[in-house]
Amino acid sequence: MINFEQLKEIILKNNSFLLTTHVNPDPDAIGSEIGLYFILKKLGKQVYIINYSETPYNLTFLDSDKVIQKFDEQLHKKLFDEADVLVALDFNRPDRIIKMQPFFEQSKKYKICIDHHLEPGNFVDALFAGDEYAATGHILFKFIETTNIVQLDHNIAVPLYAAIMADTGSFKYDRTTPDVHLIAAKLLEQGVRPNDIANKLFDESKFSKIKLLGKTLSTVSLYGKDEKIAYMVITQEILTETGALENDTDGFVNMCMSIENVVIGILFLELSDGFKASFRSKGVVDINKLAAEFGGGGHRNASGLRLKDKKMTDFIPLILKSAEKYL
Ligand code: 5GP
Ligand code: MN
């Protein structure tokens, strides 16, 4: 059980906060940052949001105050030693913030993590986490509800709704409990329009993304015993050809899971300095373990890894072979 009263105390007794989230942020990452930003602003706090990655274009609507800054070492490294509290949102291992990691780790300021991934690392002073929560935005909602630290309003409700909607796969994954629906109802009572949010998150893709999806789908292959593994491969060449960005690949791996009999889906994505793999699984297949074997992590049915300076083509056969163990 998360100690929400402790979190409330930390917030009330400090003045400035630096919020950050993981590389290639998703709606839960940005949504929980903006949700917490509005909570803190309501309390008169000073808030900075510094992210390693630029905010994806389909999520900029959440940052209505345009407060999120992309990390620039010269501009921002001092902030890690100036803000009273550093807040890690929606990630639980320091390597998830890439070049910001040393500044976060070396800072002597108080550090907290609010997150819902499995197996948190030991990198903060206080951890407010639980993998039973559907989203980091879900934790923030419970925080407000439990402590009444501020009154819920439209500004806070919009990002939290986006966070929960995305991390539950639009209210269809296992952690879509009755409580999650009750929370959604309370957010709608604040004037959130679900159709508007869904449109922004899922239905305003750039043409380059759709071209990339087409090319990616043509790489789908089946693998393993009874062909229960489906995988797709995106090379740097395909990315350049279509003009799409890493973040445009979000959700692509789910296409693997829509193939009958497939229980493991993998997307391999070549980066300019290594590669990343996204894993999805169905039911009891624990794909977090596969990611962990190669230094990644995540959740039981959705995990990932990112290997710097490694060749994707060397790892594809190794990862596929390992994946068979989890069938
Ligand atoms: P996605 O495949 O959508 O990028 O990520 C799926 C899940 O895996 C997310 O919950 C994310 O936090 C986790 N994940 C993705 N990449 C990494 C990684 O490099 N390291 C760790 N520890 N988790 C990751
Ligand atoms: Mn999340």
Side-chain angles (χ1 to χ4, degrees), residues 22-24 26 90-93 95-96 115-117 167 246 250-251 253 267 276-280 288 291 295-299 302-307:
H22 56 81
V23 59
N24 194 25
D26 56 11
D90 199 42
F91 69 98
N92 65 12
R93 305 266 174 90
D95 64 347
R96 301 278 287 136
D115 179 60
H116 70 129
H117 293 94
D167 263 26
E246 172 187 344
D250 272 8
V253 64
L267 170 70
K276 105 171 222 187
S278 289
F279 303 114
R280 297 292 184 274
N288 178 58
H299 310 283
S303 63
L305 62 87
R306 180 180 280 266
L307 293 182

Side-chain angles (χ1 to χ4, degrees), residues 185-294:
K186 287 174 191 154
L187 296 172
L188 296 190
E189 280 170 2
Q190 296 300 320
V192 172
R193 295 161 61 101
N195 184 245
D196 285 356
I197 305 230
N199 277 339
K200 294 272 190 214
L201 296 186
F202 311 120
D203 302 329
E204 291 186 3
S205 304
K206 290 205 192 297
F207 186 44
S208 51
K209 173 176 173 164
I210 300 306
K211 282 195 291 188
L212 177 68
L213 177 61
K215 293 210 180 269
T216 308
L217 285 174
S218 67
T219 72
V220 179
S221 309
L222 298 177
Y223 179 89
K225 188 169 175 296
D226 302 327
E227 302 190 319
K228 286 187 173 174
I229 301 173
Y231 69 99
M232 313 192 287
V233 182
I234 303 177
T235 58
Q236 277 287 300
E237 196 185 341
I238 299 184
L239 276 183
T240 313
E241 222 173 278
T242 54
L245 303 169
E246 172 187 344
N247 161 263
D248 287 323
T249 66
D250 272 8
F252 283 12
V253 64
N254 295 323
M255 299 304 295
C256 291
M257 307 312 286
S258 64
I259 304 169
E260 63 173 348
N261 296 321
V262 164
V263 294
I264 294 179
I266 309 178
L267 170 70
F268 295 101
L269 171 64
E270 191 176 34
L271 304 169
S272 55
D273 60 349
F275 77 96
K276 105 171 222 187
S278 289
F279 303 114
R280 297 292 184 274
S281 67
K282 281 193 181 144
V284 294
V285 178
D286 187 352
I287 211 64
N288 178 58
K289 291 209 172 88
L290 174 64
E293 267 189 60
F294 293 88

